Structure formats: C-alpha cells, structure tokens
Amino acid sequence: MASSHSSSPVPQGSSSDVFFKKEVDPAKHIRPVQSLPDVCPKEPTGDSHSLCVAPSLVTDQHRWTIYHSKVNLPAALNDPRLAKRESDFFTKTWGLDFVDTEVIPSFYLPQISKEHFTVYQQEISQREKIHERCKNICPPKDIFDRTLLHTHDKSRTDLEQVPKIFLKPDFALDDSLTFNSVLPWSHFNTAGGKGNRDAASSKLLQEKLSHYLDIVEVNIAHQISLRSEAFFHAMTSQHELQDYLKKTSQAVKMLRDKIARIDKVMCEGSLHVLRLALTRNNCVKVYNKLKLMATVHQTQPTVQVLLSTSEFVGALDLIATTQEVLQQELQGIHSFRHLGSQLCELEKLIDKMMIAEFSTYSHSDLNRPLEDDCQILEEERLVSLVFGLLKQRKLNFLEIYSEEMILTAKNIIKQCVINKVSKIEEIDTDVVVKLADQMRMLNFPQWFDLLKDIFSKFTIFLQRVKATLNIIHSVVLSVLDKNQRTRELEEISQQKNAAKDTSLDTEVAYLIHEGMFISDAFSENELTPIAIDTTPQRNASPNSEPCSSDSVSEPECTTDSSSSKEQTSSSATPGGVDIMVNEDMKLTDLELGKLANNIQELLYSASDICHDRAVKFLMSRAKDGFLEKLNSTEFITLSRLMETFILDTEQICGRKSMSLLGALQSQANKFVNRFHEERKTKLSLLLDNERWKQADVPAEFQDLVDSISDGKIALPEKKSGATEERKPAEVLIVEGQQYAVVGTVLLLIRIILEYCQCVDNIPSVTTDMLTRLSDLLKYFNSRSCQLVLGAGALQVVGLKTITTKNLALSSRCLQLIVHYIPVIRAHFEARLQPKQYSMLRHFDHITKDYHDHIAEISAKLVAIMDNLFDKLLSKYEVKAPVPSACFRNICKQMAKMHEAIFDLLPEEQTQMLFLRINASYKLHLKKQLSHLNVINDGGPQNGLVTADVAFYTGNLQALKGLKDLDLNMAEIWEQKR
C-alpha cells in the first residue's frame, strides 16, 4: 500500500515550485528531481550552512523521527532509482550478470573521426560555451520530460488494466453490489463435482487481484521515487526551519510590545481627545438635527399663517425648503414619512388658491371705479401672485386676465348706457325694457355724448390694463435676467471648482507619495475647523448668526440652512416695489421670453376688445339707419371722435386696432355714397330748374371764392350781421377776372368745396371722394350740354329758345369750373398716397371734356351767325342804296350778338369769336359775289360792294372791344387770273 506517515503537517508547495536546488559541489553531477505540489515544501533548499538561522515553530511542536515513516515491504524492496524494470521475456531470467556484447561496425559505413567535426566545432564553440553556462544555471528538462512522459504513458497503460470499479472514490466492499462485482459467489461454490474447477477459478481471481495490486504499488512506488529527493530534503531542513520561525516569532513579539508602549505613551491620549471632539461634534449635529426636525414640524402651521396673509410665495418657498430638507437631511425619519405627501397636497391647494386669488384680484382691479386715480391696485399683492404662479409654472393666468377684460369691457358699455338713459326723462324704462332699444331712442347729441363717455372710460381702462401688464412684464424680465446671471455665476463656479480639483489631485498625490493615509489626512483637515465653528456652510443666512462650537445655535440658524440654495436677488418694478427673484424658478429662458411676448399680445388684445365692443355698440345703433342719416357735420364730428380714440389706443397699446377703423371705414363709405347721392340729386334738381340767366353773386359766395384764392379750400364760417349789409354783385370775381355765372354754378362750387372739406375731415375716404367728385363734375358737364347745346332746357324749363346769351353764359360757367380743377387736383394730390396718384388722371379727362364742351359752344355761336349770313347774303344784290338793307341787317345782328356776349365773355374771347364770325361772313360774301360775277375791277358794282363792306367794317369796329380787330376784308375778292 502507499505510504501514509503521520508526521507533522508539512507546508504544501504550489505547482509552480517544482524544482529545489541544493548548493552542492559543481563537480558532482546529480540530476535534480522534479517534486510534486502535494509533497514538496515551498522553502529554499541547501545544506545546513547555507540556510538562515531562525526560530522554527514546527520544531517546537513536534520533532520528526524514523518512527513517523511507515512503508510496506514491496515498496521497500523496489529500487526507486531504477529507470525501468526488466520486463523483457528473454532477458528477465538471465540474472544481473548478463552483459550486452559490442556490436561489430558495418563495413559499408565510412569511418568518422574528430577531424570531420573540426569546422563544426569551431563554428559552434562560442554557442557551446554559452549553452554550457546556461545549462549550469538552468538544468535541461527535455530529457527528464521525455523520460517522465514515457513513464507516464506506460503507467497509464498499466492502470487501464485495472477495472474502473477499484478506482471509484466511493469504492466500498460493504456494498453488496460492489462485493458481488469483485468477488463473484460462483467462484466459492464447491458443491456438485466441480470442486477442482472452482478452486482453479478462485486461484485465478486471487492472482488477478494480486496483479492489480502490483500495478498500483508499482505506480505508487514510481511516484514516490520521483519525489524522494525533495521529500528527504524537506525532512532534513525541518530543524533549520523550526529555529528560523522561533526567532521570527520572538522578533514579532518584541515589535508588538514596543508598538503597544508607543501607542500608550504617544497616541492613546491624542486619539482620546480626537474621539471626544468627534463625539462633541456629533452631539452638536444631533442637536441641530433635532432643532431642524422641530422646525420642520412647525412647517404646516407656518404655511397656514402665511396663506392667511396671502403670502403665497413665502409658503411655496417654505414648502420647497422643507421638502428639500426631508429629502437630503431628514431622509428615513419615521415620524416624517407622511409629511412629504402632505406638503405636496398642500402645494396643489396653494396652486388653486393662487389661481382663485388672481381671478379675484383681476376682477377687483378691472371693475373698480374708473374715476379712481390709482393706476395699480395693491401692487405688492400682484407681484407676489405673479411670482407664485411663475414658480409653480401656472402660465394660464393670462387667460384668466383676458376673460376678465372681456367681461369688464361689456360692463363698461352697459353701465354707461344705463347712466345715460337714466338721466333722460323722455325714455320710459317701463315701456321700453331692453337696454338696446332705450339706447336707440337717444338723439345724436345724446348718443354722441354717450359714445364719448364710453371712449373715455375705455381709455382709462386700457391705461390700467397697461400698468398691470407692465408690472407682470417686469416680473418676468426680472426672472429672466436672474436666470442669465445665475448661469454666468455657475460657469465661474465650475471653472473655480475645476482649478480646485486640480490642486486637490496634486495634494492627494503628495500624500500618497509621503506614505500617509489619505483618510487620516482629510480627517485632520476636517477636524481643525470643528473646534472653531461647527456651523455648516448651509447655515450661513443673512438673517441668522453663526453657530459656534461653544454655544448652541438658535432654531433660526438651522431653519435657514435648507434655503441656502435659494439665494435671492432684489430688483424693482416700475412702481417702485422691491421684488425677490428665487433661483429655483423652473422656467427656461425660452418659456419666459414666450410669456413676455404673450403679455404684450395681451395688451394688444385689450385694445382689440375695446374696439370690438365699440363696433358692436355702433352697429347696434346703426340698425335703424341712424348713422346713415347723419348730416355731414354730425358724421364728421363722429368720425373725428372715433379717429381720436383709435390714436389714443394706439399710443397706449403700441399697435393700431383695425376693427373700429374698419367699421369707421364702412360707415364712411356709406356716408360718402349718401353724401354723393344727395349732392348729385341736388345738382340735378338745380340744373333741371336752371333758366340759364345770369344770377347775382351773394357776398358769401364771393368770400368763398376769395378763401380759395388764399389757399384755403374750405367753407368759410358764416359772419352774422356783416353779410346782410353787403349787396350781391353782378359777377363773380376770381383772381381779377369777372365770371358771369348762373346760380347752379355757384352752388356747384360750394358742393365741390364740401367734397374737399370732407376729405380733410375724413382722410380715409379720399379716394372715394375723388371718384365721386369726378362723377359729379362729369355729370354737370354732360347735363349742362344736354340742356343748353342739346336744347333740353326747352322741354325741362320751358324756355322758348336757346339764345346766344344762354350759350355764352354756359361757356363762362364751364370756364369757371375748369379754372378750379387744378386747385382741386392739388388738394387731392396732397392727401393721396404716392401709389394712388394714378387716380388723378380723372381730372385730366374732365378738363379735356370741359374744354371740348367750351369749344362746342363757341362753334355753336359761330354756327348761328353762319346760318344768318347764309340766309341774308344769299339775297344780296349789288345796287343802290348804299348801304344796302342786307348789310344794315347784318350789322344789326352783329350788334345784337356783341351786346349778348360782351358782358359775359372776356374781351379776348369776344375778339376771337368775332374773328371767327367775320371769317364766316367773308366766306359767304365772297361766295355771293362770285355768284353775282362781281369782281374787283373798279366798276360801279365794285364801288357799291366796297361801300357796303366799308359800312359793315365801320359798324363792327365801332362795337366795344373790337376797335383794333383786323378784319382783312380784301379777302372777299377773288384773285385775278
């Protein structure tokens, strides 16, 4: 069996320490033996002189003797140093004296001498020296490995012959199955005549088991032979090891005693002091923690007190601080396990209370009496509410304010109407129940005063809204500015922290290099300020005193600690109220910017609301056509009031609202249509009743024309008394020229000035008025042409005939209108936009039409005399007496013509007209003379004709204004051939 000694435990070596070298004589070539991990100790090898002298714990306990080694006889008889056993069939029985004979060399192989290897030895001599040196240092393992591998393979082959059942770890013969497998009962059955065969089988089984035992013992002996060198060496070095361990133990004991004395003398007292300081610091922390718990316990009552005074921001800050303390400093405390959820519910309740409070404030602010001079109601309350709503991200408070503005605008109109109607006794409120119907019963002055009152109230209303929104806007901008400054401070702090971390890393590296414990170094740095001031940095509050280690801090010291992160900065609103901006605002810059824009849009919306309500008020009054029935003065007054209100709201809100302006434009268009229709109808009636006779010019019309000459295109104010003393003039004097006109033209000029003045009063209707005025002027031109040139006055007025005086008077009226067209054009051009200048072409077309009409009238006058000349000269005979009756009649008609038009037309126009008439006369006379064969030959007929022509010339030049007229009567004679 394998050896199993009961010696003292030997330290087990690892698999890596497989060789142990002994310092032996280099001349002795002893092959090192590889040791296995379960036997070889992990200790240095060598003789007793080479080992260090040291105490040995093993020697002190047990000494190894020869009685501790136990081995069976077969293992002792086997030579452990034999490389292999003589198992050859032929030579195993030849004995130890058998010697192998030398083999005779072959004749076919050449004789190899050392000279053949001379060159090779020279080449590798250096390598061989190196190899030998390395070989001495590190013994070769390849031969041993190959032998060991071969032996291992052979042992494995032998072990494979042993049945697996013997090698099982749970092998036990007391198991019946195992016992039957190893020793079958059939081998021991001796009954029946089979005794000899059973005895042989049992003997065979015994030999087989013996063979298995030999195989196992051979393998065990082989393993022991591999480890024998290290095993016996380990046994011989135990004494030295025990001495070494003993000395080591004594040295350790002395060192421990010395360290204990040093600890007692130098460290124990100091450490005790540090422990006491740490204990005191912990007690202070516990006390502060208890005070903090007491303060947190008072959070809910404090919040209730703050809410009773509407300090919503303070309550929210206290809740946020308490929640932060619960999460960071009081986390895990059982008594406060429900406080966090209670504070959350309380925060939701505060949100609802702030919304309700803001709604109440908006209602109170917007519905207070408008006569109150105070622009902002309770500014501090508003600032507090806005901060609380921003802190909780309740950004819908602007919608609440917008809805309240709409209701307030409705109430303003309603209250104004009630106040106005109640002052008028003619309106019976019992009969007329509806307020709108009562309002429609007001006349224009009463209704205008009501509208004026509404506009004034709306103006005050918008000023209040603007003041309130400015406060809200300033709060939002303050929060936005604080966010930006906070980011800048954080960036600076991050840079400082980065520099601090760098220096801290350097210090840590130094401490490690010096061999100190980092925790001890930090503890030393942290314990130093404890003796001076135990107050954490978070306790540094503007309203609290520092807490020292010698005195216990007041509760306020700890209460303010949790809110240290909520550092605040103060700013001022436009009203002068200081506001506190907290860092814990959860709104981003984008959200704050959007909210600021929404506030500005809300101000625009307020203006639009007022304008919309005013439009509805106007439309309610305009249902029965009331606005369309206003005269020019009333409508202009209304228009000016509305334009003033539009400008006031634009100045307050910064943007022009278009709803009221659109309603005004719509009413202005209706007014323009009615205005134009009234004037056109009036002009039509005047033309239909005009008898085309020269009318006297009242002084007021002369003043009207004079005002136009001064550059003022407007209706002059009536002067009482002075106008009655002045008598009407026969003609209208315009810039030194006399215009004989009919009454219709005087009224037309006044109508034209009304159009121009309406444009000044209502600039928005300039283009419509230009179109309507063009239409009016065209209508006058066409209608006057129909009545005079077309002889329509004969049927309309009942004139017997259209005289030359009627024609001349009509021409002069047209000339007066043409004179004022450039003035009218300049007036409209000054009030039009550059892109609207194309509309001025209407005046160019009208001027051309008027000139054409005047030319037609002149042609008509010439045609009348032309017909007369044709009728009279066709009967002309060249005979006595001289002047003939024909020429006397012609001169008489010419005198009548001159008498009819000279006082109406200017002298230049009269001369031009008579030149044209004279040309017609010469043409007809020349034709008649040609018909009578009268030539310029100096004969009697020639003399008679010359006398008649001289009579005609003398009479014509004798007329007023025609003295210098060049008649050129020589053209009546035909040229001689």
Side-chain angles (χ1 to χ4, degrees), residues 530-589:
I530 292 178
I532 301 173
D533 189 357
T534 59
T535 304
Q537 292 182 359
R538 59 180 180 82
N539 291 339
S541 174
N543 299 324
S544 64
E545 297 179 356
C547 304
S548 64
S549 60
D550 298 332
S551 62
V552 179
S553 61
E554 295 298 327
E556 290 79 10
C557 181
T558 308
T559 303
D560 295 339
S561 63
S562 300
S563 60
S564 62
K565 295 182 180 179
E566 299 178 4
Q567 300 175 0
T568 59
S569 64
S570 61
S571 59
T573 60
V577 178
D578 291 337
I579 56 179
M580 304 302 292
V581 183
N582 292 336
E583 284 188 355
D584 60 347
M585 290 293 179
K586 303 176 183 178
L587 298 174
T588 62
D589 291 352

Side-chain angles (χ1 to χ4, degrees), residues 607-639:
S607 176
D608 294 339
I609 289 170
C610 294
H611 282 245
D612 293 340
R613 302 313 304 178
V615 169
K616 291 184 178 180
F617 180 76
L618 290 175
M619 295 300 103
S620 177
R621 189 66 182 91
K623 283 186 177 180
D624 54 355
F626 172 77
L627 298 179
E628 297 178 3
K629 297 175 183 178
L630 298 178
N631 56 37
S632 301
T633 304
E634 293 173 343
F635 186 82
I636 289 171
T637 305
L638 176 62
S639 176

Side-chain angles (χ1 to χ4, degrees), residues 926 929 934-936 942 945-946 969-975:
K926 183 177 181 179
L929 292 177
V934 178
I935 60 175
N936 188 13
N942 187 2
V945 172
T946 302
M969 296 306 295
E971 295 180 354
I972 63 174
W973 304 104
E974 291 185 358
Q975 297 294 332

Side-chain angles (χ1 to χ4, degrees), residues 352-513:
K352 296 179 181 179
M353 292 179 64
M354 284 194 300
I355 294 295
E357 184 72 13
F358 185 80
S359 179
T360 303
Y361 174 83
S362 301
H363 181 77
S364 302
D365 180 45
L366 297 177
N367 290 279
R368 58 194 169 99
L370 295 173
E371 292 79 11
D372 189 3
D373 295 334
C374 181
Q375 290 289 337
I376 303 175
L377 179 66
E378 299 179 12
E379 184 174 350
E380 295 181 357
R381 177 186 173 191
L382 174 61
V383 171
S384 177
L385 281 173
V386 173
F387 265 113
L389 293 170
L390 292 179
K391 183 179 179 65
Q392 297 303 108
R393 299 178 62 87
K394 301 297 181 182
L395 305 182
N396 58 342
F397 65 93
L398 295 180
E399 299 176 2
I400 298 174
Y401 197 80
S402 177
E403 294 174 358
E404 194 63 38
M405 286 193 306
I406 296 174
L407 296 177
T408 304
K410 292 180 180 179
N411 293 334
I412 288 175
I413 294 180
K414 184 178 181 180
Q415 191 62 38
C416 289
V417 173
I418 292 174
N419 294 338
K420 188 66 177 180
V421 170
S422 63
K423 296 178 182 180
I424 300 175
E425 299 178 354
E426 292 81 4
I427 300 177
D428 189 357
T429 56
D430 296 334
V431 178
V432 183
V433 180
K434 292 184 178 181
L435 193 61
D437 296 335
Q438 296 174 5
M439 183 265 296
R440 292 189 187 97
M441 297 179 66
L442 301 175
N443 55 29
F444 178 77
Q446 296 170 345
W447 181 82
F448 183 79
D449 292 340
L450 174 60
L451 182 62
K452 191 175 182 180
D453 185 40
I454 291 174
F455 284 166
S456 64
K457 297 291 179 62
F458 274 159
T459 302
I460 298 174
F461 168 73
L462 288 177
Q463 289 174 350
R464 289 185 177 178
V465 170
K466 182 179 181 181
T468 302
L469 293 180
N470 282 341
I471 295 297
I472 299 175
H473 191 262
S474 64
V475 172
V476 174
L477 292 183
S478 299
V479 175
L480 181 60
D481 181 64
K482 179 58 182 177
N483 287 348
Q484 295 175 352
R485 285 187 292 169
T486 302
R487 281 199 304 272
E488 294 176 358
L489 293 176
E490 288 178 353
E491 292 176 358
I492 296 174
S493 177
Q494 290 177 358
Q495 294 176 0
K496 291 182 178 180
N497 290 336
K500 184 176 180 181
D501 292 341
T502 304
S503 62
L504 183 61
D505 293 341
T506 305
E507 183 178 358
V508 170
Y510 172 76
L511 291 174
I512 294 174
H513 177 72

Side-chain angles (χ1 to χ4, degrees), residues 24-124:
V24 296
D25 189 2
K28 296 181 181 180
H29 299 282
I30 300 176
R31 183 182 65 181
V33 181
Q34 183 179 8
S35 61
L36 294 181
D38 56 342
V39 176
C40 177
K42 189 177 181 181
E43 292 294 338
T45 59
D47 55 10
S48 60
H49 300 284
S50 63
L51 293 175
C52 295
V53 179
S56 176
L57 294 177
V58 179
T59 306
D60 295 339
Q61 296 179 2
H62 303 283
R63 289 186 175 275
W64 185 85
T65 62
I66 58 174
Y67 300 104
H68 289 87
S69 176
K70 296 179 181 180
V71 66
N72 57 1
L73 185 59
L77 294 177
N78 287 324
D79 187 1
R81 292 177 176 80
L82 192 61
K84 64 177 180 177
R85 303 184 66 178
E86 296 295 334
S87 58
D88 183 52
F89 177 79
F90 298 99
T91 61
K92 69 180 180 178
T93 59
W94 291 0
L96 296 177
D97 297 333
F98 174 77
V99 179
D100 294 334
T101 59
E102 184 178 357
V103 179
I104 299 174
S106 175
F107 297 103
Y108 299 99
L109 295 177
Q111 292 294 328
I112 302 300
S113 62
K114 292 183 179 180
E115 284 76 8
H116 291 86
F117 300 96
T118 303
V119 178
Y120 173 74
Q121 288 178 350
Q122 292 176 357
E123 292 178 355
I124 65 169

Side-chain angles (χ1 to χ4, degrees), residues 326-327 329-337:
L326 289 175
Q327 293 176 1
E329 301 183 26
L330 300 180
Q331 188 175 8
I333 295 179
H334 187 71
S335 59
F336 290 150
R337 65 186 183 278

